[in-house]
Amino acid sequence: MNKNSNIVWHPNKVSGEDRQRVLGQRGLVVWFTGLSGSGKSTIAVEVEKMLTDKGRAAYLLDGDNIRCGINSDLGFSDEDRNENIRRISEIAALFRDAGMITLVSFISPFRKMREFARKRAGEDNFIEVYVSTDFETCMERDPKGLYKKNIRNFTGKDSSYEEPVNPEIILDTICHSPAECAEIVYREIEKYLS
């Protein structure tokens, strides 16, 4: 919601379709969601490399990286989590309009905010990837050592995570390696782009 009524959207002479034509690809948002330690970022990094190796313009927006800069002023209350996702949704939509394949790796625990991200990108330009890894497995992996700490509002522990209802892709990182999961996502992206 814009708090300043004096701001007006300024139209461009170049459309999203024009930008996409220049890049030779359709803009797309691929939204990875799941608990901390589920494998979201690991898989997204692999997908970005695969896309780039194939000549696709792709960019990864990672939750931790964004919280080091743009969202460094936000904590982990429900309100701050929603604002975190609102901001990244807007950024991802701009990247999509520029013709980029935008990979977004955020826990994004609340369905309503993931739906907001989908609406901002456009229904036909959004792939939700649920990295479905149970809490116990994430706790066992604990790549950042977060599960060992006594962190307030920790998603999956004392702060809720709402599983996606109908994601385009569900990845099982217990049965499949990160490379296998990345291949599944890559193939789905190529289907969307063709």
Side-chain angles (χ1 to χ4, degrees):
M1 176 181 288
N2 194 331
K3 293 181 180 180
N4 189 334
S5 61
N6 296 319
I7 295 177
V8 177
W9 184 266
H10 186 71
N12 295 341
K13 287 189 174 184
V14 179
S15 70
E17 292 77 19
D18 294 333
R19 293 182 198 93
Q20 292 174 53
R21 190 171 46 255
V22 167
L23 282 178
Q25 69 181 34
R26 179 176 151 200
L28 186 65
V29 173
V30 183
W31 195 282
F32 293 81
T33 181
L35 295 173
S36 179
S38 63
K40 297 178 305 299
S41 294
T42 301
I43 295 164
V45 163
E46 291 302 317
V47 173
E48 182 185 34
K49 178 78 169 109
M50 294 167 82
L51 289 164
T52 303
D53 286 350
K54 295 292 186 180
R56 299 283 192 185
Y59 194 87
L60 171 59
L61 298 169
D62 180 78
D64 285 345
N65 295 350
I66 297 298
R67 278 189 176 270
C68 286
I70 293 167
N71 291 348
S72 63
D73 62 322
L74 299 175
F76 292 92
S77 67
D78 287 355
E79 182 180 277
D80 280 356
R81 288 173 195 266
N82 286 339
E83 178 60 14
N84 185 41
I85 299 307
R86 188 197 68 76
R87 289 180 192 179
I88 203 60
S89 298
E90 296 291 348
I91 293 167
L94 290 171
F95 274 49
R96 189 215 51 84
D97 186 57
M100 298 292 293
I101 300 166
T102 310
L103 309 170
V104 179
S105 176
F106 278 65
I107 292 171
S108 45
F110 305 122
R111 284 186 199 111
K112 82 172 187 179
M113 293 312 294
R114 294 192 302 265
E115 282 306 311
F116 174 81
R118 183 183 294 273
K119 285 184 181 116
R120 289 300 296 128
E123 185 69 38
D124 296 337
N125 307 306
F126 191 90
I127 300 172
E128 185 175 29
V129 180
Y130 176 34
V131 184
S132 174
T133 310
D134 60 67
F135 184 81
E136 290 73 25
T137 302
C138 292
M139 193 167 61
E140 211 173 272
R141 289 178 182 166
D142 200 11
K144 300 174 194 170
L146 298 176
Y147 288 86
K148 291 182 180 95
K149 297 178 181 178
N150 188 20
I151 299 173
R152 273 187 64 233
N153 298 323
F154 193 77
T155 304
K157 187 177 178 185
D158 59 354
S159 183
S160 68
Y161 177 81
E162 299 170 353
E163 292 183 9
V165 175
N166 197 17
E168 284 74 14
I169 301 171
I170 299 174
L171 299 176
D172 181 343
T173 62
I174 297 171
C175 297
H176 299 286
S177 71
E180 290 169 328
C181 290
E183 183 64 35
I184 291 166
V185 176
Y186 173 77
R187 284 196 313 262
E188 190 67 21
I189 291 170
E190 287 297 336
K191 276 197 258 177
Y192 268 74
L193 296 176
S194 58

